Short mmCIF file of all heavy atoms in Angstrom, two decimals:
data_model
loop_
_atom_site.label_atom_id
_atom_site.label_comp_id
_atom_site.label_asym_id
_atom_site.label_seq_id
_atom_site.Cartn_x
_atom_site.Cartn_y
_atom_site.Cartn_z
N MET A 765 -9.94 -4.58 4.36
CA MET A 765 -10.07 -3.15 4.56
C MET A 765 -9.52 -2.43 3.33
O MET A 765 -8.34 -2.58 3.00
CB MET A 765 -9.29 -2.75 5.80
CG MET A 765 -9.36 -1.30 6.13
SD MET A 765 -8.55 -1.02 7.71
CE MET A 765 -8.73 0.71 7.80
N PRO A 766 -10.32 -1.67 2.65
CA PRO A 766 -9.85 -0.98 1.45
C PRO A 766 -9.03 0.26 1.78
O PRO A 766 -9.14 0.83 2.86
CB PRO A 766 -11.15 -0.60 0.74
CG PRO A 766 -12.17 -0.51 1.81
CD PRO A 766 -11.76 -1.51 2.85
N ALA A 767 -8.21 0.67 0.83
CA ALA A 767 -7.42 1.89 0.97
C ALA A 767 -8.36 3.09 0.97
O ALA A 767 -9.42 3.07 0.36
CB ALA A 767 -6.43 1.99 -0.18
N THR A 768 -7.96 4.15 1.66
CA THR A 768 -8.80 5.34 1.75
C THR A 768 -8.32 6.47 0.84
O THR A 768 -8.95 7.52 0.79
CB THR A 768 -8.88 5.85 3.20
OG1 THR A 768 -7.56 6.11 3.67
CG2 THR A 768 -9.55 4.84 4.10
N SER A 769 -7.21 6.27 0.14
CA SER A 769 -6.72 7.28 -0.79
C SER A 769 -5.87 6.61 -1.87
O SER A 769 -5.42 5.48 -1.72
CB SER A 769 -5.88 8.34 -0.06
OG SER A 769 -4.67 7.76 0.39
N LYS A 770 -5.65 7.34 -2.96
CA LYS A 770 -4.82 6.82 -4.04
C LYS A 770 -3.39 6.62 -3.56
O LYS A 770 -2.75 5.63 -3.92
CB LYS A 770 -4.84 7.79 -5.23
CG LYS A 770 -6.17 7.85 -5.93
CD LYS A 770 -6.15 8.84 -7.06
CE LYS A 770 -7.53 8.97 -7.68
NZ LYS A 770 -7.56 9.96 -8.75
N ALA A 771 -2.90 7.54 -2.75
CA ALA A 771 -1.53 7.42 -2.24
C ALA A 771 -1.37 6.17 -1.39
O ALA A 771 -0.37 5.46 -1.49
CB ALA A 771 -1.18 8.67 -1.43
N GLN A 772 -2.35 5.88 -0.56
CA GLN A 772 -2.31 4.70 0.30
C GLN A 772 -2.36 3.43 -0.55
O GLN A 772 -1.63 2.46 -0.28
CB GLN A 772 -3.47 4.74 1.28
CG GLN A 772 -3.39 3.72 2.39
CD GLN A 772 -4.56 3.83 3.34
OE1 GLN A 772 -5.71 3.85 2.91
NE2 GLN A 772 -4.26 3.93 4.62
N GLN A 773 -3.16 3.41 -1.58
CA GLN A 773 -3.28 2.25 -2.47
C GLN A 773 -1.96 2.00 -3.20
O GLN A 773 -1.51 0.87 -3.31
CB GLN A 773 -4.44 2.48 -3.46
CG GLN A 773 -4.77 1.27 -4.30
CD GLN A 773 -4.00 1.23 -5.61
OE1 GLN A 773 -3.45 2.21 -6.07
NE2 GLN A 773 -3.96 0.07 -6.20
N MET A 774 -1.32 3.06 -3.67
CA MET A 774 -0.06 2.90 -4.39
C MET A 774 1.06 2.46 -3.45
O MET A 774 1.91 1.65 -3.82
CB MET A 774 0.31 4.20 -5.10
CG MET A 774 -0.61 4.49 -6.27
SD MET A 774 -0.10 5.87 -7.31
CE MET A 774 -0.19 7.24 -6.17
N ALA A 775 1.09 2.98 -2.23
CA ALA A 775 2.10 2.58 -1.25
C ALA A 775 1.94 1.10 -0.92
O ALA A 775 2.93 0.37 -0.80
CB ALA A 775 1.99 3.43 0.01
N ALA A 776 0.71 0.65 -0.78
CA ALA A 776 0.45 -0.76 -0.49
C ALA A 776 0.91 -1.64 -1.65
O ALA A 776 1.47 -2.71 -1.43
CB ALA A 776 -1.03 -0.99 -0.21
N GLY A 777 0.71 -1.18 -2.86
CA GLY A 777 1.15 -1.93 -4.03
C GLY A 777 2.67 -2.07 -4.07
O GLY A 777 3.20 -3.14 -4.37
N ALA A 778 3.37 -1.01 -3.73
CA ALA A 778 4.83 -1.05 -3.70
C ALA A 778 5.32 -1.99 -2.60
O ALA A 778 6.24 -2.79 -2.81
CB ALA A 778 5.38 0.35 -3.48
N ALA A 779 4.70 -1.92 -1.43
CA ALA A 779 5.08 -2.79 -0.32
C ALA A 779 4.79 -4.25 -0.65
O ALA A 779 5.59 -5.14 -0.35
CB ALA A 779 4.33 -2.38 0.95
N LEU A 780 3.68 -4.51 -1.30
CA LEU A 780 3.31 -5.86 -1.69
C LEU A 780 4.32 -6.43 -2.69
O LEU A 780 4.72 -7.59 -2.60
CB LEU A 780 1.90 -5.89 -2.28
CG LEU A 780 1.37 -7.24 -2.72
CD1 LEU A 780 1.31 -8.22 -1.56
CD2 LEU A 780 -0.02 -7.08 -3.33
N SER A 781 4.74 -5.61 -3.62
CA SER A 781 5.72 -6.02 -4.61
C SER A 781 7.04 -6.43 -3.93
O SER A 781 7.65 -7.44 -4.28
CB SER A 781 5.98 -4.88 -5.59
OG SER A 781 6.98 -5.21 -6.51
N ALA A 782 7.44 -5.68 -2.93
CA ALA A 782 8.66 -6.01 -2.18
C ALA A 782 8.47 -7.27 -1.35
O ALA A 782 9.37 -8.10 -1.24
CB ALA A 782 9.07 -4.84 -1.30
N LYS A 783 7.29 -7.43 -0.76
CA LYS A 783 6.98 -8.62 0.05
C LYS A 783 7.09 -9.88 -0.79
O LYS A 783 7.55 -10.91 -0.33
CB LYS A 783 5.58 -8.49 0.56
CG LYS A 783 5.05 -8.68 1.89
CD LYS A 783 5.71 -8.92 3.12
CE LYS A 783 5.00 -8.14 4.20
NZ LYS A 783 5.52 -8.37 5.50
N ARG A 784 6.68 -9.77 -2.05
CA ARG A 784 6.70 -10.93 -2.96
C ARG A 784 8.07 -11.13 -3.61
O ARG A 784 8.25 -12.08 -4.36
CB ARG A 784 5.64 -10.74 -4.05
CG ARG A 784 4.25 -10.81 -3.50
CD ARG A 784 3.24 -10.61 -4.59
NE ARG A 784 1.89 -10.84 -4.10
CZ ARG A 784 0.79 -10.49 -4.76
NH1 ARG A 784 0.88 -9.91 -5.94
NH2 ARG A 784 -0.40 -10.74 -4.25
N GLY A 785 9.00 -10.20 -3.37
CA GLY A 785 10.34 -10.32 -3.93
C GLY A 785 10.47 -9.79 -5.34
O GLY A 785 11.48 -10.02 -6.00
N GLU A 786 9.47 -9.07 -5.82
CA GLU A 786 9.49 -8.53 -7.17
C GLU A 786 10.33 -7.26 -7.26
O GLU A 786 10.85 -6.93 -8.33
CB GLU A 786 8.06 -8.26 -7.65
CG GLU A 786 7.23 -9.54 -7.74
CD GLU A 786 5.75 -9.28 -7.90
OE1 GLU A 786 5.32 -8.11 -7.93
OE2 GLU A 786 5.00 -10.27 -7.98
N THR A 787 10.42 -6.52 -6.17
CA THR A 787 11.29 -5.35 -6.08
C THR A 787 12.10 -5.46 -4.79
O THR A 787 11.77 -6.23 -3.90
CB THR A 787 10.48 -4.03 -6.05
OG1 THR A 787 9.59 -4.06 -4.94
CG2 THR A 787 9.69 -3.82 -7.32
N LYS A 788 13.14 -4.66 -4.71
CA LYS A 788 14.01 -4.70 -3.54
C LYS A 788 13.42 -3.90 -2.39
O LYS A 788 12.86 -2.82 -2.60
CB LYS A 788 15.39 -4.14 -3.89
CG LYS A 788 16.13 -4.97 -4.90
CD LYS A 788 17.46 -4.34 -5.23
CE LYS A 788 18.17 -5.14 -6.30
NZ LYS A 788 19.44 -4.52 -6.68
N LYS A 789 13.58 -4.41 -1.19
CA LYS A 789 13.11 -3.70 0.00
C LYS A 789 13.80 -2.34 0.13
O LYS A 789 13.21 -1.37 0.57
CB LYS A 789 13.36 -4.55 1.24
CG LYS A 789 12.91 -3.92 2.52
CD LYS A 789 13.28 -4.74 3.72
CE LYS A 789 12.98 -3.95 4.98
NZ LYS A 789 13.55 -4.53 6.17
N SER A 790 15.06 -2.27 -0.30
CA SER A 790 15.82 -1.03 -0.19
C SER A 790 15.26 0.09 -1.08
O SER A 790 15.57 1.26 -0.86
CB SER A 790 17.29 -1.28 -0.54
OG SER A 790 17.41 -1.74 -1.87
N GLU A 791 14.41 -0.25 -2.04
CA GLU A 791 13.81 0.76 -2.91
C GLU A 791 12.58 1.42 -2.28
O GLU A 791 12.10 2.43 -2.78
CB GLU A 791 13.41 0.13 -4.24
CG GLU A 791 14.58 -0.34 -5.07
CD GLU A 791 14.18 -1.02 -6.36
OE1 GLU A 791 13.00 -0.95 -6.75
OE2 GLU A 791 15.06 -1.63 -6.99
N LEU A 792 12.07 0.85 -1.19
CA LEU A 792 10.89 1.40 -0.54
C LEU A 792 11.24 2.64 0.28
O LEU A 792 12.31 2.73 0.86
CB LEU A 792 10.26 0.36 0.39
CG LEU A 792 9.76 -0.92 -0.25
CD1 LEU A 792 9.22 -1.86 0.82
CD2 LEU A 792 8.70 -0.63 -1.29
N LYS A 793 10.28 3.57 0.32
CA LYS A 793 10.45 4.80 1.09
C LYS A 793 9.16 5.11 1.82
O LYS A 793 8.08 4.72 1.40
CB LYS A 793 10.77 5.98 0.16
CG LYS A 793 12.04 5.83 -0.62
CD LYS A 793 12.20 7.01 -1.56
CE LYS A 793 13.42 6.81 -2.44
NZ LYS A 793 13.53 7.87 -3.45
N GLY A 794 9.26 5.83 2.90
CA GLY A 794 8.11 6.36 3.62
C GLY A 794 7.06 5.34 3.99
O GLY A 794 7.34 4.32 4.61
N ALA A 795 5.82 5.62 3.59
CA ALA A 795 4.68 4.79 3.97
C ALA A 795 4.79 3.36 3.47
O ALA A 795 4.43 2.42 4.18
CB ALA A 795 3.38 5.41 3.45
N SER A 796 5.31 3.17 2.27
CA SER A 796 5.42 1.81 1.74
C SER A 796 6.41 0.98 2.55
O SER A 796 6.19 -0.21 2.78
CB SER A 796 5.81 1.81 0.26
OG SER A 796 7.02 2.49 0.04
N LYS A 797 7.46 1.61 3.05
CA LYS A 797 8.44 0.91 3.88
C LYS A 797 7.81 0.51 5.22
O LYS A 797 8.00 -0.61 5.69
CB LYS A 797 9.66 1.80 4.12
CG LYS A 797 10.81 1.10 4.78
CD LYS A 797 12.04 1.97 4.82
CE LYS A 797 13.23 1.22 5.35
NZ LYS A 797 14.45 2.04 5.31
N GLU A 798 7.03 1.42 5.80
CA GLU A 798 6.34 1.12 7.05
C GLU A 798 5.31 0.01 6.85
O GLU A 798 5.18 -0.88 7.70
CB GLU A 798 5.65 2.37 7.59
CG GLU A 798 6.61 3.42 8.11
CD GLU A 798 5.90 4.68 8.57
OE1 GLU A 798 4.73 4.62 8.97
OE2 GLU A 798 6.54 5.74 8.53
N MET A 799 4.58 0.06 5.75
CA MET A 799 3.59 -0.97 5.46
C MET A 799 4.25 -2.33 5.27
O MET A 799 3.75 -3.34 5.74
CB MET A 799 2.79 -0.62 4.19
CG MET A 799 1.83 0.51 4.36
SD MET A 799 1.07 0.88 2.77
CE MET A 799 -0.55 1.38 3.29
N PHE A 800 5.39 -2.36 4.60
CA PHE A 800 6.12 -3.60 4.37
C PHE A 800 6.46 -4.27 5.69
O PHE A 800 6.31 -5.47 5.85
CB PHE A 800 7.40 -3.31 3.58
CG PHE A 800 8.29 -4.52 3.42
CD1 PHE A 800 8.09 -5.41 2.39
CD2 PHE A 800 9.34 -4.76 4.30
CE1 PHE A 800 8.90 -6.53 2.24
CE2 PHE A 800 10.15 -5.87 4.17
CZ PHE A 800 9.94 -6.75 3.13
N GLU A 801 6.90 -3.46 6.65
CA GLU A 801 7.35 -4.00 7.94
C GLU A 801 6.21 -4.37 8.87
O GLU A 801 6.34 -5.26 9.69
CB GLU A 801 8.28 -2.99 8.61
CG GLU A 801 9.57 -2.80 7.84
CD GLU A 801 10.42 -1.64 8.32
OE1 GLU A 801 9.98 -0.89 9.22
OE2 GLU A 801 11.53 -1.48 7.79
N SER A 802 5.07 -3.69 8.76
CA SER A 802 4.02 -3.88 9.76
C SER A 802 2.79 -4.65 9.29
O SER A 802 1.95 -5.02 10.11
CB SER A 802 3.56 -2.52 10.28
OG SER A 802 2.93 -1.78 9.25
N MET A 803 2.68 -4.94 7.99
CA MET A 803 1.48 -5.59 7.48
C MET A 803 1.80 -6.93 6.83
O MET A 803 2.88 -7.13 6.29
CB MET A 803 0.78 -4.68 6.46
CG MET A 803 0.29 -3.38 7.05
SD MET A 803 -0.39 -2.27 5.81
CE MET A 803 -1.98 -3.01 5.55
N SER A 804 0.82 -7.83 6.87
CA SER A 804 0.98 -9.13 6.22
C SER A 804 0.72 -8.98 4.71
O SER A 804 0.17 -7.98 4.25
CB SER A 804 -0.02 -10.13 6.80
OG SER A 804 -1.34 -9.80 6.41
N GLU A 805 1.10 -10.00 3.97
CA GLU A 805 0.87 -9.98 2.53
C GLU A 805 -0.62 -9.89 2.22
O GLU A 805 -1.03 -9.17 1.31
CB GLU A 805 1.47 -11.23 1.88
CG GLU A 805 1.46 -11.19 0.38
CD GLU A 805 2.23 -12.32 -0.27
OE1 GLU A 805 3.21 -12.81 0.32
OE2 GLU A 805 1.84 -12.71 -1.39
N LYS A 806 -1.45 -10.58 2.98
CA LYS A 806 -2.90 -10.55 2.77
C LYS A 806 -3.46 -9.14 3.00
O LYS A 806 -4.28 -8.66 2.22
CB LYS A 806 -3.59 -11.55 3.70
CG LYS A 806 -5.10 -11.56 3.55
CD LYS A 806 -5.68 -12.92 3.76
CE LYS A 806 -7.18 -12.96 3.70
NZ LYS A 806 -7.77 -12.57 2.47
N GLN A 807 -3.01 -8.48 4.07
CA GLN A 807 -3.47 -7.12 4.34
C GLN A 807 -3.05 -6.18 3.21
O GLN A 807 -3.84 -5.33 2.77
CB GLN A 807 -2.89 -6.61 5.66
CG GLN A 807 -3.46 -7.28 6.88
CD GLN A 807 -2.73 -6.88 8.15
OE1 GLN A 807 -1.50 -6.88 8.19
NE2 GLN A 807 -3.48 -6.55 9.18
N LEU A 808 -1.83 -6.32 2.74
CA LEU A 808 -1.35 -5.48 1.65
C LEU A 808 -2.14 -5.72 0.37
O LEU A 808 -2.44 -4.78 -0.36
CB LEU A 808 0.14 -5.73 1.40
CG LEU A 808 1.07 -5.20 2.48
CD1 LEU A 808 2.49 -5.72 2.26
CD2 LEU A 808 1.06 -3.69 2.54
N GLU A 809 -2.50 -6.97 0.11
CA GLU A 809 -3.32 -7.29 -1.06
C GLU A 809 -4.66 -6.56 -1.00
O GLU A 809 -5.13 -6.03 -2.01
CB GLU A 809 -3.57 -8.80 -1.16
CG GLU A 809 -2.40 -9.59 -1.66
CD GLU A 809 -2.65 -11.09 -1.64
OE1 GLU A 809 -3.74 -11.54 -1.21
OE2 GLU A 809 -1.75 -11.82 -2.07
N GLU A 810 -5.28 -6.54 0.17
CA GLU A 810 -6.58 -5.88 0.33
C GLU A 810 -6.47 -4.39 0.04
O GLU A 810 -7.35 -3.81 -0.60
CB GLU A 810 -7.12 -6.12 1.73
CG GLU A 810 -7.55 -7.55 1.97
CD GLU A 810 -7.97 -7.83 3.40
OE1 GLU A 810 -8.02 -6.89 4.22
OE2 GLU A 810 -8.25 -9.01 3.71
N PHE A 811 -5.41 -3.76 0.51
CA PHE A 811 -5.22 -2.33 0.25
C PHE A 811 -4.90 -2.08 -1.21
O PHE A 811 -5.43 -1.17 -1.83
CB PHE A 811 -4.08 -1.78 1.11
CG PHE A 811 -4.50 -1.29 2.46
CD1 PHE A 811 -4.75 -2.19 3.49
CD2 PHE A 811 -4.65 0.06 2.72
CE1 PHE A 811 -5.12 -1.75 4.74
CE2 PHE A 811 -5.03 0.50 3.97
CZ PHE A 811 -5.26 -0.39 4.98
N ALA A 812 -4.02 -2.90 -1.77
CA ALA A 812 -3.56 -2.68 -3.14
C ALA A 812 -4.64 -2.93 -4.19
O ALA A 812 -4.62 -2.30 -5.24
CB ALA A 812 -2.34 -3.56 -3.42
N GLU A 813 -5.58 -3.83 -3.91
CA GLU A 813 -6.60 -4.13 -4.92
C GLU A 813 -7.76 -3.15 -4.92
O GLU A 813 -8.65 -3.26 -5.75
CB GLU A 813 -7.10 -5.56 -4.76
CG GLU A 813 -7.93 -5.81 -3.53
CD GLU A 813 -8.31 -7.28 -3.35
OE1 GLU A 813 -7.83 -8.13 -4.10
OE2 GLU A 813 -9.09 -7.56 -2.43
N THR A 814 -7.75 -2.17 -4.03
CA THR A 814 -8.79 -1.15 -4.00
C THR A 814 -8.80 -0.36 -5.31
O THR A 814 -7.76 0.06 -5.79
CB THR A 814 -8.55 -0.15 -2.84
OG1 THR A 814 -8.44 -0.88 -1.63
CG2 THR A 814 -9.67 0.86 -2.73
N ARG A 815 -9.97 -0.19 -5.88
CA ARG A 815 -10.08 0.62 -7.10
C ARG A 815 -9.80 2.07 -6.76
O ARG A 815 -10.27 2.59 -5.76
CB ARG A 815 -11.47 0.49 -7.70
CG ARG A 815 -11.74 -0.89 -8.22
CD ARG A 815 -13.05 -0.90 -8.99
NE ARG A 815 -13.31 -2.19 -9.55
CZ ARG A 815 -12.97 -2.54 -10.78
NH1 ARG A 815 -12.36 -1.70 -11.57
NH2 ARG A 815 -13.23 -3.76 -11.23
N ARG A 816 -9.06 2.73 -7.63
CA ARG A 816 -8.68 4.13 -7.37
C ARG A 816 -9.77 5.12 -7.76
O ARG A 816 -9.77 6.24 -7.29
CB ARG A 816 -7.41 4.47 -8.15
CG ARG A 816 -6.20 3.88 -7.53
CD ARG A 816 -4.97 4.52 -8.12
NE ARG A 816 -4.04 3.47 -8.51
CZ ARG A 816 -2.96 3.68 -9.21
NH1 ARG A 816 -2.66 4.87 -9.61
NH2 ARG A 816 -2.17 2.69 -9.53
N LYS A 817 -10.68 4.69 -8.62
CA LYS A 817 -11.71 5.61 -9.09
C LYS A 817 -12.54 6.11 -7.90
O LYS A 817 -13.06 5.33 -7.11
CB LYS A 817 -12.63 4.91 -10.09
CG LYS A 817 -13.61 5.82 -10.75
CD LYS A 817 -14.39 5.12 -11.83
CE LYS A 817 -15.31 6.10 -12.52
NZ LYS A 817 -16.05 5.47 -13.59
N GLY A 818 -12.64 7.41 -7.77
CA GLY A 818 -13.43 8.01 -6.71
C GLY A 818 -12.67 8.25 -5.40
O GLY A 818 -13.19 8.88 -4.50
N LEU A 819 -11.44 7.75 -5.31
CA LEU A 819 -10.66 7.98 -4.10
C LEU A 819 -9.97 9.34 -4.17
O LEU A 819 -9.55 9.77 -5.24
CB LEU A 819 -9.57 6.91 -3.94
CG LEU A 819 -9.99 5.50 -3.56
CD1 LEU A 819 -8.75 4.61 -3.50
CD2 LEU A 819 -10.70 5.48 -2.24
N PRO A 820 -9.81 10.00 -3.03
CA PRO A 820 -9.05 11.27 -3.04
C PRO A 820 -7.58 10.96 -3.25
O PRO A 820 -7.11 9.84 -2.98
CB PRO A 820 -9.30 11.83 -1.65
CG PRO A 820 -9.62 10.64 -0.81
CD PRO A 820 -10.31 9.67 -1.71
N ALA A 821 -6.82 11.94 -3.73
CA ALA A 821 -5.39 11.75 -3.95
C ALA A 821 -4.68 11.45 -2.64
O ALA A 821 -3.82 10.58 -2.56
CB ALA A 821 -4.78 12.98 -4.60
N LYS A 822 -5.04 12.18 -1.60
CA LYS A 822 -4.47 11.96 -0.27
C LYS A 822 -5.59 11.94 0.76
O LYS A 822 -6.62 12.58 0.58
CB LYS A 822 -3.48 13.07 0.09
CG LYS A 822 -2.23 13.04 -0.74
CD LYS A 822 -1.19 13.93 -0.17
CE LYS A 822 0.10 13.75 -0.96
NZ LYS A 822 1.20 14.46 -0.37
N LYS A 823 -5.35 11.23 1.83
CA LYS A 823 -6.32 11.14 2.91
C LYS A 823 -6.37 12.47 3.66
O LYS A 823 -5.33 13.02 4.00
CB LYS A 823 -5.90 10.01 3.86
CG LYS A 823 -6.89 9.71 4.95
CD LYS A 823 -6.39 8.54 5.77
CE LYS A 823 -7.27 8.35 6.97
NZ LYS A 823 -6.76 7.29 7.83
N SER A 824 -7.57 12.98 3.89
CA SER A 824 -7.68 14.24 4.62
C SER A 824 -7.43 14.01 6.10
O SER A 824 -7.75 12.96 6.65
CB SER A 824 -9.06 14.87 4.42
OG SER A 824 -10.05 14.01 4.94
N LYS A 825 -6.83 15.00 6.75
CA LYS A 825 -6.52 14.87 8.17
C LYS A 825 -7.65 15.48 8.98
O LYS A 825 -7.97 16.64 8.87
CB LYS A 825 -5.23 15.60 8.49
CG LYS A 825 -4.03 14.98 7.82
CD LYS A 825 -2.77 15.70 8.15
CE LYS A 825 -1.61 15.05 7.43
NZ LYS A 825 -0.34 15.73 7.67
N HIS A 826 -8.31 14.64 9.79
CA HIS A 826 -9.42 15.12 10.63
C HIS A 826 -9.13 14.83 12.06
O HIS A 826 -8.49 14.00 12.49
CB HIS A 826 -10.73 14.43 10.24
CG HIS A 826 -11.31 15.02 9.00
ND1 HIS A 826 -12.47 15.72 9.01
CD2 HIS A 826 -10.91 14.99 7.73
CE1 HIS A 826 -12.76 16.10 7.79
NE2 HIS A 826 -11.81 15.65 6.98
#
């Protein structure tokens, strides 16, 4: 499942980095912290590898 916004893609990248031990879990905030706790490494990879070109900065609320 690809990310639906640039913010979501970046949060997934931060959470993935913490999951792999590249950054500290304590450095995560907001959405990336929630993603770290609730998603698997594979799910985070799918979100993080989404190309940002053409994505909105933030997901619109509908």
